[in-house]
Amino acid sequence: MENSLFTANNIWMMICTGLVFIMHLGFSFLEIGLTRQKNTINILFKNMFIICAGLVLYALIGFGLMYPGEFNGVLGFGGLGLNLPGNGLTAEYASGGYTYWTDFLFQGMFAATAATIVSGAVAERVKLESFILFTIIYVGLIYPIAGSWQWGGGFLSEMGFYDFAGSTLVHSVGGWAALIAVYLLGPRIGKFSESGKVGAIPGHNLPLATAGVLILWLGWFGFNGGSVLSADPAATSLVLVTTSLAAAAGGISGFLFAYIRYKKYDLTMFLNGVLGGLVGITAGADQMGITDSLVIGLLAGVIVVLGVALIDKLKLDDPVGAIAVHLICGIFGTLAVGIFGAKAGWEQFVHQLVGVGLIGLFCCVSAFIILFALKKTLGLRVSKEEEVEGLDLHEHGMTAYPDFRLD
Amino acid sequence: MENSLFTANNIWMMICTGLVFIMHLGFSFLEIGLTRQKNTINILFKNMFIICAGLVLYALIGFGLMYPGEFNGVLGFGGLGLNLPGNGLTAEYASGGYTYWTDFLFQGMFAATAATIVSGAVAERVKLESFILFTIIYVGLIYPIAGSWQWGGGFLSEMGFYDFAGSTLVHSVGGWAALIAVYLLGPRIGKFSESGKVGAIPGHNLPLATAGVLILWLGWFGFNGGSVLSADPAATSLVLVTTSLAAAAGGISGFLFAYIRYKKYDLTMFLNGVLGGLVGITAGADQMGITDSLVIGLLAGVIVVLGVALIDKLKLDDPVGAIAVHLICGIFGTLAVGIFGAKAGWEQFVHQLVGVGLIGLFCCVSAFIILFALKKTLGLRVSKEEEVEGLDLHEHGMTAYPDFRLD
Amino acid sequence: MENSLFTANNIWMMICTGLVFIMHLGFSFLEIGLTRQKNTINILFKNMFIICAGLVLYALIGFGLMYPGEFNGVLGFGGLGLNLPGNGLTAEYASGGYTYWTDFLFQGMFAATAATIVSGAVAERVKLESFILFTIIYVGLIYPIAGSWQWGGGFLSEMGFYDFAGSTLVHSVGGWAALIAVYLLGPRIGKFSESGKVGAIPGHNLPLATAGVLILWLGWFGFNGGSVLSADPAATSLVLVTTSLAAAAGGISGFLFAYIRYKKYDLTMFLNGVLGGLVGITAGADQMGITDSLVIGLLAGVIVVLGVALIDKLKLDDPVGAIAVHLICGIFGTLAVGIFGAKAGWEQFVHQLVGVGLIGLFCCVSAFIILFALKKTLGLRVSKEEEVEGLDLHEHGMTAYPDFRLD
Amino acid sequence: MKKIEAIIRKSKFDEVKDALHQVQVNFFSYWDVTGVGNEKEGHVYRGVTYSTSDIQRRYLSIVVSDSFLERTIDTILKTAYTGNVGDGKIFVSDISETYRIRTAEKGESSLK
Amino acid sequence: MKKIEAIIRKSKFDEVKDALHQVQVNFFSYWDVTGVGNEKEGHVYRGVTYSTSDIQRRYLSIVVSDSFLERTIDTILKTAYTGNVGDGKIFVSDISETYRIRTAEKGESSLK
Amino acid sequence: MKKIEAIIRKSKFDEVKDALHQVQVNFFSYWDVTGVGNEKEGHVYRGVTYSTSDIQRRYLSIVVSDSFLERTIDTILKTAYTGNVGDGKIFVSDISETYRIRTAEKGESSLK
Ligand SMILES: Nc1ncnc2c1ncn2[C@@H]1O[C@H](COP(=O)(O)OP(=O)(O)O)[C@@H](O)[C@H]1O
Ligand SMILES: Nc1ncnc2c1ncn2[C@@H]1O[C@H](COP(=O)(O)OP(=O)(O)O)[C@@H](O)[C@H]1O
Ligand SMILES: Nc1ncnc2c1ncn2[C@@H]1O[C@H](COP(=O)(O)OP(=O)(O)O)[C@@H](O)[C@H]1O
C-alpha cells in the first residue's frame, strides 16, 4: 500500500482515538449532571481513575489478552506489556489501516469505557476502594477476555456473531456489570419509599449532562467511525451518517414517547433517547441503510424510556440510566443486526442471540464473583452516614463547588 | 484521482463535519450562559431538538431541496430521502473531495445552525411547540431553498454572488428570521421599562458562555475549513488563518470599543466581538489576505458593539445578541467580499448587495408568514405567568440545577 | 513528494492546530475552577485576551522573530507580518509536512500558551492592564526569541539541546515568568497567616477544573502529536501513546502519593499529576518507549505533589499550581531526555541542563525587568479593597453567575 | 421597631419591590428559601413524575419603624397576591434595637 | 404565636421533615446556612489539609401557634439528634402578628 | 437571651469573624443575602450600563446571652465599618428559649 494512504488511514484512526478519549469527558459530565452535588468529586475521581488506570492496565495486560494472536478462541495471552512487532509501524501491520501504537491506543480508549458505564450506575453509594479494585479486575481481565472472543478472532467471530463497534462487547459488557452491581448494592436511600413508591432524585447540573451527551455523540464519530479500522471513505462516511441519524431519531422518539407517557417535555429522556440511539446503532453501524438507522434510532428511543421505567419497577436504582441505555439498547442493537440492514436474516439473528447470551453470562458471572467477594470483604457500600452527608466530604475531604456564592 | 488523496480529502471533510456538529454545544453554552437560569432546560431542549430534527429533516427533504441537481435556479427538488448516486462513494462524486454520505452529513450539520441562531434570539419567552413547528418548516424548507440559489447552483451563483461558507446563506438566513421573530414576539418583561429605558437582564453562567465561544471558534475551523470542500492544503490552511485572525481581531476591537463606550472591560462584548469576526470572515474566508482578515475582524468587532446598541435602541429584545452577530455581521461579511481581498470590486459589491437583499427578502417574508400564522393560531409567546416563573417548570417540569447547594 | 501525502500531513497539522487551540478552553476551565468565583470574569477575560492578542502578535512579529531563517543563532528577525514564501503552499516548504499558513497557525497557538501559564499563577490579584502589557511583551518578544534559539535553528539546537514539543520552550518559559510574577506580586490575602501557616483557598468549580484537564489532555494530542511536524504514522502514533501513558501514570502516582501524605483522595492532586505527566513527557515524547513514559509519568506525579508543597513552603502563592506543573515538571521533563529513552546519556544530560539554565536565565531576567517596570509604574496588584471584593465587579462591572439561583 | 418577614412567590418579587419603593420602604434584605406548605408543584425527572410541596420562595426581611408597619404590610398583601394557594405569609415581630454600622447610629434614625 | 428557628445537620433534614409532618407541622421554610460552632470538619485542597468550623447546616424557620410549640420542639430535638458535636440549636422567639397573603387572614388561623 | 442579626459587606466578613472569635463569640450562623439600600453598584452587561442597589451582603445570625450582647455589637460595629454607604445594619431582638439539640440543654448553658 502507498505510504500516503497508510498515513491518511492512520490519521483517521488517531483522530478517532482522540474522539473516544473525549467521551470520558462526556461520561463525566453526564454522570455528575444527573447525580447530586454532594457526590460530584467522587464521581469525577472515579472517572479520572478509570481512564488513567484503564490505559495503564491495557498496556500491561489488556491488549495482550484481547488480541492474543493465534489462540484457542476462548482465552489467550499475547504477552505482558506492549511488544512492538517487527512490522508494527508499517502498512503491513494492519492492512495499512494504522500502526501498532495507534492500534493499542484506540483499543485502550475503548477498554476504559466499559468501567465508566458501571461507574454511573453505582454512583452516590459505592465505596471508592471497592470500585477501584473492581475496575482494575474488570477492565484488566474481563473486558479484554470477552473482547478476544470476537474482536480478537475468538470463537464468537468464528461462529458468525457480528458486533461492529461494540453494542455488546463494550456497552453490554459494561451494562451487565452495572446490573449486577446495582443489584448487589441496593438502591440509594430515598429512591424507593417503604410503601414501594418510586422517588425521583434529581441531579444537580443538567446543562453539564446535556453537554455530556453532545460530547458523547461527537465521541461516537470516533467510536464507530474508528471501528472501520481504516479511513475507507465509503465505509467511514456511511458509519457517521447511520450513527448520527440513529442518535437524532432516538432523541426525537425518546422525548415524544416520554411526552405521551408523562405529559412533559422531559429533557433527560431526550438525552437518554439520543444515547439509546447511539448504542443501538453501534453493533451494525456499517451494515445499515438510512431507513434502517432511522428505525433503529426510533425504536431505541422508545426502548430507553421503557427501560428506565422497567429498571425502576424492578426496584433497581440506576442514577444515570446506564442499564437502560447501555445494556438494554446494547442488546437491542446487537439483535438489530439480525433484523435490519445488510446482514438481516434468521441465522444471523440466532448468532446475535447466542453472542448476547454468552457474553451476558460471562459478564454476569464474573461481575458477580468480583463484586460479591468485595461485598463480603471490603464492603461495597459506604456507611449510611456517609451516603447521607455525601461521599465528597468523607472520601475526598473536598466539595465540588467550595467557593460558589450567589450574586 | 488517487484513492489516497480522495481518502485524505474525505477525512478532512468528516472532521469538519464533527467540528460543525460540536458548534451546537457551543451555541447551547452561549445561549444558556447569557440567559436566566429559569429558562435553561427550555433552551437546552430547543437546541437538542434543532440538531436532531435538523438532521432528520435534512435527510428527508432538505438535501434534495438544496442540491436538486439540474434545476431552474429558483426551486428544485432532487427527491425525497437520500438516494445514493452510482458514483456516490467514489472520487468521481465530488472531484474527489468527499463521498455522498459525507456531503449529506456536512451539509446537514450546517442546516441546523440556522435554526439555532433563531433559538437564541427568541429565548426566554417563545412557546416551545410554536418554535418546534417553526424550526421544522424553516430548516426543512426555507433554509435549503435559499441555499439552493447559491450552493445548489441556482440563480445567485449564476449571477456571480459569492458566499464562501455562509455569512449570508447560513448566518443571515438565521439572523433575518431572528429579527422577524423578535419583532413579532416582543421584548421580555423587564427589558424595556415603561419610560423606555433599556434594562439589562444578565444571564446566569458566563463561564459556560465563554466556553461556548471558544467551542464555536473551534467549530468554525470546520465550518469554514470544510467549505473548501476538499483538504487542499493551500486553501484550507489559508482559511483557518483568516478565520482565526478575524476572530482574534474582532474580539480585541470589540472589547476595546466597548471599553471606550462603557469604561468597563465587558467580557460579553469581547465574546460578541469574536463571534462578529467569525461571521464577518465567513463569506470570504478563502479570498482574503492577512491584512484583509485583520481589518474585517476589527471592523466586525466594532459593528457588533454598535449593532447590539442599535437593536436595543429599536426596542428589540435579543437576549444573546444573535441579530447583531449573525445578521448584521453576516451582511457586513458578505459585502466585505466586494470590498476586501481577491474579489474586491464594484461589480462584485453589487452582486453581494443583490444577494444580501434577495435572501433577506425571501427569509423575512417566509419567516413572517410562518411566525405570523403561528402567532394567530397556537400563539408565539408563553403566558405572562409562565414567563415570570420560568419556562423550565411550566413546559418541562424540571429545573436546570435541581440539587445545587451552596457550600 | 506526492500531493496526497502532503495533503494528509497538512490535515494532521491543521487538526493538531485545532487541538492546541482548544487547550485554551482547557486552561480557562482549569484556572477558573481552581480560583474563587469573584474573580472568574477576570480570568476568562485574560484568557480570551491571551489567545486573541497572542495570535495577532504572532502574526505581526512573533513568527518572524522565532523563525528568522538564517540568523546568528541568538536574535534574528524574518520581517514584519506574514510573508508567504514562493513555495509556501507547496510540499517544498517544509518537506511536505504542512503549508506556510499551517505553520504559522500551529506555532501561533503555541505562543499564546506561555502567557496562559502565567495567567493562572497571578490570578485573583493581578491588575488587568499590567497583565495585558506583560502578555504583549512576553508573547510578542520573549517567547519567540527563546523559541528561536532552539526551534528557529539557533545556538541551543546547534549545541544539541533537545526539546521535542516544549517542556522548556513553552512550559518552562511560561513557568519562569509565573515564578517571577508570583514573587513580585506577593500572596493573596489569606493564603499565609501571620503566624506563617499555609491556608487553603479553595476554588469554586472543580467539575470545570476536571473538564479542563481532560480537554488539556486531548489538546496535548495536538501539542505533542503536531510537533512531529508531519503525520508520519510511526512517529505520531508513538507520541500519542507516550503522551497518554505519561498522563495516566502521572495522575495515578499523583493521587496515590497525595493519599499517602494527606490521607485523602485529593482530586486536585490527581489533576495536577496528570498535567505533570503531560508536561514531563513533552520534551521527549518521540524518544521514549513505553516503560520510559510510564516512569516519567510516575515520577512527574510525585514531583508535582512535592512541588506544590515546596511552592507553598517558599511562601509563594500560585493558585492553580502552574509553577509546580509547568516549571518544575518542565525542567524534569527536559532533563529526562538525558536520562531515559533513545537519547539518554551524560552528554545529552549536560546539554539539557545548559538549555534549561540558559532559557531560565533569559526568561527570569526578562520577566523580572518587564514586571518590575510595571510594578513601579502602573502597579502590578489591585487594591486591597478590590482584591477582597473581587476583580470581576471592579474591573468588569460583571459577575460570573449573575442570575444563578438555588432550587 | 418591627421586623416584617415576608415569604412570597419569586415571580411576585419585582412587583412587591417596586410597590415598596412607592411607599418609601427602600431598605430591606432578601434571599431565596424553600417553602413547605399547601401548594404542590408537578415535576418529572427521568420518567418519574412527582409532585412536591418544597417550592422556591423569596424571603424578605424588612425592619421598619412602627409608623411604617401598616403600609409595608398592606403593600405586600396587595402586590404579592394572586389568590392561588401558595401566595405566602407575613410574620411580624419586635426588634429591640437597631444600629447603622456606618454611623453607629441607634434606633429609628438608623433605619432611614 | 412563636417562631422556632432550628439549625440542624443537612443530613438529618429529611428525617426531621417527615417527623414534623407526623405531628401536623406542615408549614415552614428552610434554607442552607454556614454554621460556626464547636464541630470541626477535615478538608484537603491542593495539598493543604485544614479543618474548618464553617460547616453547612440547614436553617428551618417555623412559625406555629403556641399550642404547637412543644411538640414541634420535641420532634426536632428527637429527630435531629445524633449525639455528636454539631447537632445544632433551636431558638424560640415571639411573633406578634401573622398574615396569610392569599386570604389576608390574620393571627392563628393564618397558620393552618 | 438576644438574637443579633447583622447585615454586613461580604468583604468584611473575615475580619468580623476573627474579631468575634477574639471576644469569645464562637457560635453563629451566616448566609448570603441581597440587600436593598442606599448603596449603588455600577454594572455593565452586553453594552447596557446600569447601577443597582441590590447588593450582595452577608447575614449573620448570632444568639447570645445578655452578658455577651454589648461586646458582640461593639465588635461588629468596629470591624464591619468602612465609613462608606453600605456598611450595613445590626438588629437586636429577644429570644425566649434556646436548646442545644445534642444535649437537649435549655437556656444560657445551651449557648456555650
Ligand atoms: N408556619 C410557617 N412558617 C414558616 N413559613 C411558612 C409557614 N407557613 C407557610 N410558610 C411559607 O409560605 C409558603 C406558602 O404557603 P402555602 O401553605 O403553600 O400557601 P398559602 O399560604 O396560600 O396557604 C410556604 O411555601 C412556606 O415557605
Ligand atoms: N449562638 C448561635 N447563634 C447562631 N447559630 C448558632 C449558635 N450556636 C450554634 N449555632 C449553629 O449551630 C451549629 C451547631 O453548633 P456546634 O457548636 O457545632 O455543635 P453543638 O451544638 O453540638 O455544640 C453551628 O454550626 C451553628 O450553625
Ligand atoms: N430596614 C432594613 N431591613 C433589612 N435590611 C436592611 C435594612 N436597611 C438596610 N438593610 C441592609 O443593609 C444594607 C446596607 O444598607 P445601605 O442603606 O446600603 O447602607 P448604610 O446602612 O450605610 O446607609 C442593605 O444592602 C440591606 O441589606
Side-chain angles (χ1 to χ4, degrees), chain C residues 292-327:
Chain C
D292 304 315
S293 331
L294 289 171
V295 172
I296 288 177
L298 290 173
L299 290 175
V302 171
I303 288 172
V304 102
V305 173
L306 294 173
V308 166
L310 174 72
I311 300 296
D312 272 351
K313 188 159 281 169
L314 295 174
K315 300 268 173 291
L316 295 170
D317 179 16
D318 174 4
V320 305
I323 300 174
V325 165
H326 297 282
L327 180 57

Side-chain angles (χ1 to χ4, degrees), chain A residues 24-36 43-44 46-47 50 115-121 123-124 203-204 208-209 212 319-320 322:
Chain A
H24 289 276
L25 175 58
F27 278 118
S28 302
F29 273 174
L30 181 67
E31 288 175 25
I32 64 169
L34 293 180
T35 50
R36 284 166 296 177
I43 294 172
L44 293 171
K46 282 191 315 192
N47 278 292
I50 288 167
T116 304
I117 291 166
V118 186
S119 158
E124 309 209 63
H204 86 282
L208 290 191
V320 304

Side-chain angles (χ1 to χ4, degrees), chain D residues 54-68:
Chain D
D54 289 37
I55 295 179
Q56 285 307 301
R57 307 279 175 208
R58 192 149 281 176
Y59 199 102
L60 278 65
S61 168
I62 318 175
V63 176
V64 293
S65 52
D66 296 356
S67 61
F68 271 70

Side-chain angles (χ1 to χ4, degrees), chain B residues 85-104:
Chain B
N87 64 3
L89 300 176
T90 68
E92 269 172 48
Y93 174 65
S95 338
Y98 42 84
T99 68
Y100 176 80
W101 299 126
T102 308
D103 193 9
F104 155 70

Side-chain angles (χ1 to χ4, degrees), chain D residues 26-30 61-64 99-103 110-112, chain F residues 7-9 33-40 53-57 59 84-89 91:
Chain D
N26 291 317
F27 308 99
F28 58 92
S29 304
Y30 64 87
S61 168
I62 318 175
V63 176
V64 293
Y99 300 82
R100 161 172 282 138
I101 295 174
R102 170 162 54 96
T103 54
S110 73
L111 293 177
K112 304 238 168 76
Chain F
I7 304 160
I8 63 170
R9 293 181 190 279
V33 306
T34 309
V36 180
N38 285 313
E39 201 192 2
K40 300 251 177 274
S53 59
D54 289 36
I55 296 180
Q56 284 307 300
R57 307 277 175 212
Y59 200 103
N84 300 320
V85 174
D87 278 350
K89 299 276 189 294
F91 304 129

Side-chain angles (χ1 to χ4, degrees), chain C residues 15-163:
Chain C
I15 293 163
C16 289
T17 304
L19 290 174
V20 180
F21 170 76
I22 208 63
M23 289 175 76
H24 289 276
L25 176 58
F27 278 119
S28 302
F29 273 175
L30 181 67
E31 289 177 23
I32 64 169
L34 293 180
T35 51
R36 283 168 294 178
Q37 180 174 327
K38 62 184 177 182
N39 302 312
T40 302
I41 295 286
N42 185 254
I43 294 172
L44 293 170
F45 195 94
K46 283 191 315 192
N47 278 294
M48 288 301 299
F49 178 78
I50 287 166
I51 173 70
C52 289
L55 276 178
V56 171
L57 285 167
Y58 205 72
L60 295 183
I61 49 169
F63 196 48
L65 272 173
M66 189 145 163
Y67 298 94
E70 294 285 317
F71 79 122
N72 59 23
V74 179
L75 186 66
F77 190 39
L80 222 62
L82 298 180
N83 308 295
L84 182 68
N87 64 3
L89 302 177
T90 69
E92 271 171 47
Y93 173 66
S95 336
Y98 42 85
T99 69
Y100 176 80
W101 299 127
T102 307
D103 193 9
F104 156 70
L105 201 61
F106 182 67
Q107 300 296 340
M109 295 299 174
F110 265 61
T113 313
T116 303
I117 292 165
V118 186
S119 158
V122 300
E124 309 209 65
R125 58 208 191 282
V126 78
K127 227 180 189 158
L128 184 61
E129 275 101 351
S130 299
F131 182 78
I132 284 180
L133 287 177
F134 167 77
T135 299
I136 291 175
I137 304 173
Y138 208 74
V139 172
L141 296 180
I142 308 309
Y143 168 81
I145 291 175
S148 75
W149 295 357
Q150 172 75 7
W151 292 341
F155 74 94
L156 280 180
S157 77
E158 294 284 303
M159 181 193 76
F161 178 62
Y162 193 79
D163 187 2

Side-chain angles (χ1 to χ4, degrees), chain E residues 7-9 33-40 53-57 59 83-89 91, chain F residues 25-30 61-64 99-103 110-112:
Chain E
I7 304 161
I8 64 170
R9 294 181 189 279
V33 307
T34 309
V36 181
N38 285 314
E39 200 192 3
K40 301 251 177 273
S53 59
D54 290 36
I55 296 181
Q56 286 307 300
R57 306 277 175 213
Y59 200 104
N84 299 322
V85 174
D87 277 351
K89 298 278 188 293
F91 304 129
Chain F
V25 177
N26 291 318
F27 308 99
F28 57 92
S29 303
Y30 63 86
S61 169
I62 318 175
V63 176
V64 294
Y99 301 82
R100 159 172 282 137
I101 295 173
R102 171 163 51 98
T103 55
S110 73
L111 292 176
K112 302 235 169 79

Side-chain angles (χ1 to χ4, degrees), chain E residues 44-103:
Chain E
V44 63
Y45 181 75
R46 295 191 58 252
V48 182
T49 46
Y50 60 105
S51 75
T52 176
S53 59
D54 290 36
I55 296 181
Q56 286 307 300
R57 306 277 175 213
R58 190 149 283 176
Y59 200 104
L60 277 64
S61 167
I62 316 175
V63 176
V64 294
S65 52
D66 297 356
S67 60
F68 271 70
L69 183 62
E70 211 186 303
R71 67 170 95 160
T72 307
I73 290 176
D74 285 352
T75 305
I76 298 175
L77 281 177
K78 219 169 337 150
T79 49
Y81 174 85
T82 70
N84 299 322
V85 174
D87 277 351
K89 298 278 188 293
I90 301 174
F91 304 129
V92 182
S93 55
D94 290 324
I95 286 289
S96 52
E97 192 54 277
T98 69
Y99 301 82
R100 160 173 280 136
I101 295 174
R102 170 162 52 97
T103 54

